Amino acid sequence: MSQWVAWRLVRMFLVWIGVTLVAFLLLRLTGDPARVVLGEFASPAAMAAYRAEQGLDRPWPAQYVSFVSKALRGDLGTSLRFREPNLKVIVERLPATLELALASLLISALVGVPLGVVTALRRDSAFDVVARGLVLLALGIPNFFLAILFVLLFGVELGWLPTGGRGGLGHLVMPAVVLSFLLLPLTVRITRSSVLDNLSMDYVRTARGKGVGSRAIVWRHVLRNASLPVVTVLGVQSALLLSGAVVTETIFSWPGIGRLLVTSITGRDFPLVQSAILVVSTGVVLIGFFVDLCYAALDPRLGRSRG
Amino acid sequence: MGVARRLGSRRATRVGLVFLALFLALGVWPTSWLPHDPTEVNLGLANRPGLWAGNWSQPLGTDFLGRDLLSRSVYAARLTLVIGLGAVTIATLVGTVVGLLAGYFAGWVDEVLSWLIDVQLAFPMIALAVAVIAVLGGSLTSLIGVLAATSWFTTARVVRAQVLAVKASLFIEAAGALGAGSVRTVFRHILPNVVSPILAVATFEMARLVLTESALSFLGLGVSSPQTTWGAMIGDGRAYVYESWWVATVPGLLIAALVIAFNFVGDGLRDAMDPTSYASSGRTGGGGLRSEQATEP
């Protein structure tokens, strides 16, 4: 087991190295980071000064090594717009993004899992058909379009909820519900098919044969076994919430990392963009590692076989 | 093969296919039959409602520049489909080759390619796509390239898993014993056996990429005027949504219809290929090819 954990750690580090490579290359896609950062109309003198200051005149491998070693020490450079360390600017917005992501994860789980279970147990009933139709609709409607409709209906027409910004629970409702629509269809589908798969397993027949009531079979056996894939998928897909937050945060003026990314791009603050992407991806890599650990702890067979 | 017949036996799949055919026809057909020029500005007609307000001249209303929404929607269908199909084609080709290589050669090739996939999965794709387009500048090519980059690994993973399964079969061993080389084995014997899952994944990915493209266009990082897509049209309508809800709603519903149609066809393809699934009852299984990837905004 400890060997397996060590191997996962090595893999995690290797993936993180890849992440830093992509973040490093992002500014160099066009070949000249000074032009990307300073814009088309920067004077040659300003560009030369920026290159010297950032060490851009050194060979790429040397630049990359210093980029990574600085990142490991928490030095992600300075934001052009805020004139503050990038890491500080990002960390200040982290709570807002996490709050939104957790709230929508909670909604996805609290609505999606029961919906998946009930549609599986009452397969092909009217409820199943209607629920699956709605899930499909939720899958098809562009998230930002949904957000616009919500703002129009609940914010403007009915005036129930604030249309943007972060504050109390009222501010959280609309963005969290909109963001949860990303994971909700997946949650329902995975739960439903997982419960269906388990219902057709031999152990269910055995339990029935032993005279266990159907309620007890569902609660004690099926749901417990069906939960594993659901937990994994939700864990892995949390990256999706961070990604979806880019659009949702922009529409609802939610002061998180997603909106920071968009405003930084519009403001051509590329060092901040690079750092934000690096921080979020590092978070995703860490989450993936912990999901793996939880999985191994829940299902001891996996710890050995997955190498 | 009974796949085609089984595919047609499901109502949802047939509905999906009809819708796709309709959308494709709209995209391919010349736009000369349209009642209005899709790019013609007429400020006097700005933000007019359509049929529901008795406006027969512009049945779906007009946008903030007085452009006819019906003509515009049809006009935008072409680029919406071109971008989606272009990206999904590139992604499928790259993903198939990578998956074949990783699955067939195993060892360090597999390790390196799997590492690449893991790295890519770590990124919040929309954020990365937004940043890449901002650095490279928005154009049709960079949009298609970025979308393909957010998609190839889904195909690669499925193909890799399929290859691992097929590789263990006896007929592959037999091919090797008869002297077939690696290249021949991969392309003549393994590839034909993984084509169906590739098609199903491509269909689901197409749905996802249409949504991603619309999100990018909505954020203003898509194609630039006068070119337009449904996503860009929603972006156009956003500022006027309080006075004229239809400007954003028409393209919004079109995107939803297209995405749902692709999902219907993808579900049908998957079930038609997999005899163990409940084809007749239309089980919406998440367990199959779709399980790993959710739909981005």
Side-chain angles (χ1 to χ4, degrees):
Chain A
M1 187 70 187
S2 63
Q3 205 184 351
W4 180 81
V5 172
W7 174 233
R8 293 303 310 176
L9 268 172
V10 170
R11 279 197 77 140
M12 181 180 79
F13 183 73
L14 288 178
V15 169
W16 187 76
I17 289 294
V19 165
T20 57
L21 255 176
V22 175
F24 174 78
L25 288 176
L26 179 66
L27 273 188
R28 291 161 178 79
L29 273 177
T30 54
D32 187 358
R35 187 163 289 283
V36 171
V37 170
L38 298 179
E40 272 176 66
F41 306 110
S43 69
M47 300 226 302
Y50 185 78
R51 283 197 198 99
E53 182 202 322
Q54 299 290 321
L56 295 173
D57 37 12
R58 290 180 300 156
W60 278 28
Q63 288 182 41
Y64 174 69
V65 169
S66 91
F67 174 73
V68 172
S69 66
K70 275 185 181 169
L72 281 172
R73 277 177 278 134
D75 175 7
L76 295 178
T78 311
S79 157
L80 297 173
R81 265 194 314 160
F82 296 94
R83 313 224 169 266
E84 279 183 350
N86 283 325
L87 192 62
K88 180 167 172 274
V89 177
I90 293 163
V91 167
E92 277 169 3
R93 279 153 185 84
L94 203 54
T97 294
L98 289 180
E99 180 185 314
L100 187 57
L102 283 177
S104 55
L105 193 63
L106 208 65
I107 297 173
S108 299
L110 289 182
V111 178
V113 172
L115 211 57
V117 173
V118 174
T119 52
L121 294 179
R122 299 186 197 287
R123 200 172 121 200
D124 295 333
S125 67
F127 181 82
D128 181 29
V129 172
V130 171
R132 274 192 295 140
L134 289 177
V135 164
L136 203 64
L137 200 63
L139 187 82
I141 287 190
N143 208 247
F144 52 92
F145 176 57
L146 190 74
I148 294 175
L149 292 186
F150 272 30
V151 168
L152 192 61
L153 183 63
F154 299 111
V156 179
E157 285 292 321
L158 299 171
W160 289 351
L161 293 165
T163 56
R166 183 180 179 222
L169 200 60
H171 286 86
L172 183 60
V173 175
M174 272 206 287
V177 169
V178 166
L179 192 55
S180 75
F181 268 60
L182 286 186
L183 270 190
L184 197 61
L186 189 72
T187 313
V188 177
R189 285 183 151 203
I190 299 276
T191 311
R192 183 170 182 276
S193 70
S194 179
V195 170
L196 278 180
D197 285 345
N198 274 286
L199 280 176
S200 61
M201 294 254 180
D202 285 342
Y203 74 81
V204 170
R205 206 178 45 194
T206 309
R208 273 214 185 101
K210 283 193 335 192
V212 182
S214 29
R215 184 165 300 201
I217 291 178
V218 170
W219 281 103
R220 241 184 268 149
H221 299 286
V222 172
L223 289 190
R224 200 174 285 184
N225 278 301
S227 65
L228 210 56
V230 179
V231 170
T232 320
V233 169
L234 282 181
V236 172
Q237 292 295 342
S238 48
L240 191 72
L241 292 178
L242 295 171
S243 187
V246 172
V247 177
T248 315
E249 287 183 2
T250 306
I251 293 179
F252 290 103
S253 315
W254 188 261
I257 293 181
R259 185 156 167 265
L260 178 72
L261 259 168
V262 174
T263 55
S264 302
I265 284 170
T266 343
R268 300 199 65 79
D269 190 353
F270 282 100
L272 184 53
V273 172
Q274 183 185 41
S275 310
I277 286 180
L278 184 60
V279 168
V280 172
S281 314
T282 306
V284 172
V285 173
L286 286 174
I287 293 173
F289 176 68
F290 284 114
V291 169
D292 263 7
L293 283 189
C294 295
Y295 208 81
L298 284 173
D299 191 343
R301 283 170 303 179
L302 287 164
R304 284 184 292 275
S305 65
R306 270 175 130 202
Chain B
M1 283 260 299
V3 169
R5 211 189 51 213
R6 263 183 285 164
L7 194 60
S9 71
R10 281 181 44 158
R11 195 159 24 135
T13 316
R14 285 202 303 270
V15 171
L17 284 170
V18 168
F19 265 89
L20 285 192
L22 196 70
F23 281 129
L24 274 177
L26 281 184
V28 173
W29 212 262
T31 48
S32 49
W33 61 274
L34 291 171
H36 302 273
D37 178 349
T39 53
E40 188 189 292
V41 174
N42 189 341
L43 290 177
L45 296 175
N47 290 331
R48 282 182 60 173
L51 271 185
W52 53 94
N55 178 1
W56 288 89
S57 168
Q58 291 102 3
L60 296 179
T62 61
D63 70 1
F64 68 108
L65 292 176
R67 295 174 293 198
D68 175 42
L69 274 183
L70 175 66
S71 307
R72 245 182 123 57
S73 298
V74 174
Y75 172 69
R78 179 172 304 174
L79 215 47
T80 306
L81 287 168
V82 163
I83 293 171
L85 286 173
V88 97
T89 307
I90 296 174
T92 305
L93 287 177
V94 174
T96 304
V97 171
V98 170
L100 282 174
L101 290 176
Y104 185 76
F105 289 107
W108 68 267
V109 179
D110 187 22
E111 288 294 333
V112 169
L113 294 174
S114 299
W115 170 78
L116 209 59
I117 294 172
D118 280 348
V119 169
Q120 188 124 32
L121 281 174
F123 284 100
M125 271 306 151
I126 291 257
L128 192 63
V130 166
V132 168
I133 290 179
V135 171
L136 285 181
S139 72
L140 201 57
T141 344
S142 62
L143 194 58
I144 291 177
V146 163
L147 288 173
T150 68
S151 167
W152 65 274
F153 50 87
T154 314
T155 314
R157 289 169 96 188
V158 172
V159 171
R160 176 179 171 274
Q162 294 284 326
V163 170
L164 286 178
V166 173
K167 209 171 70 169
S169 8
L170 274 177
F171 74 91
I172 297 299
E173 207 179 307
L178 287 169
S182 306
V183 176
R184 190 181 164 81
T185 309
V186 168
F187 286 99
R188 285 299 295 274
H189 301 292
I190 294 185
L191 186 59
N193 281 291
V194 298
V195 164
S196 315
I198 292 174
L199 267 181
V201 172
T203 316
F204 287 127
E205 282 302 291
M206 179 72 192
R208 203 177 61 79
L209 289 177
V210 166
L211 284 175
T212 311
E213 181 274 323
S214 69
L216 291 176
S217 295
F218 172 76
L219 289 173
L221 291 157
V223 294
S224 43
S225 190
Q227 291 180 318
T228 192
T229 61
W230 291 335
M233 285 174 68
I234 300 181
D236 287 344
R238 184 189 168 195
Y240 304 90
V241 76
Y242 306 123
E243 310 94 73
S244 41
W245 50 267
W246 53 91
V247 183
T249 305
V250 169
L253 293 179
L254 283 170
I255 292 175
L258 182 64
V259 170
I260 291 173
F262 271 114
N263 270 289
F264 274 159
V265 174
D267 280 340
L269 269 175
R270 188 191 50 209
D271 287 347
M273 288 166 340
D274 178 6
T276 60
S277 73
Y278 312 86
S280 56
S281 71
R283 185 179 80 143
T284 327
L289 304 166
R290 225 199 125 65
S291 60
E292 312 283 345
Q293 195 78 26
T295 310
E296 290 197 36

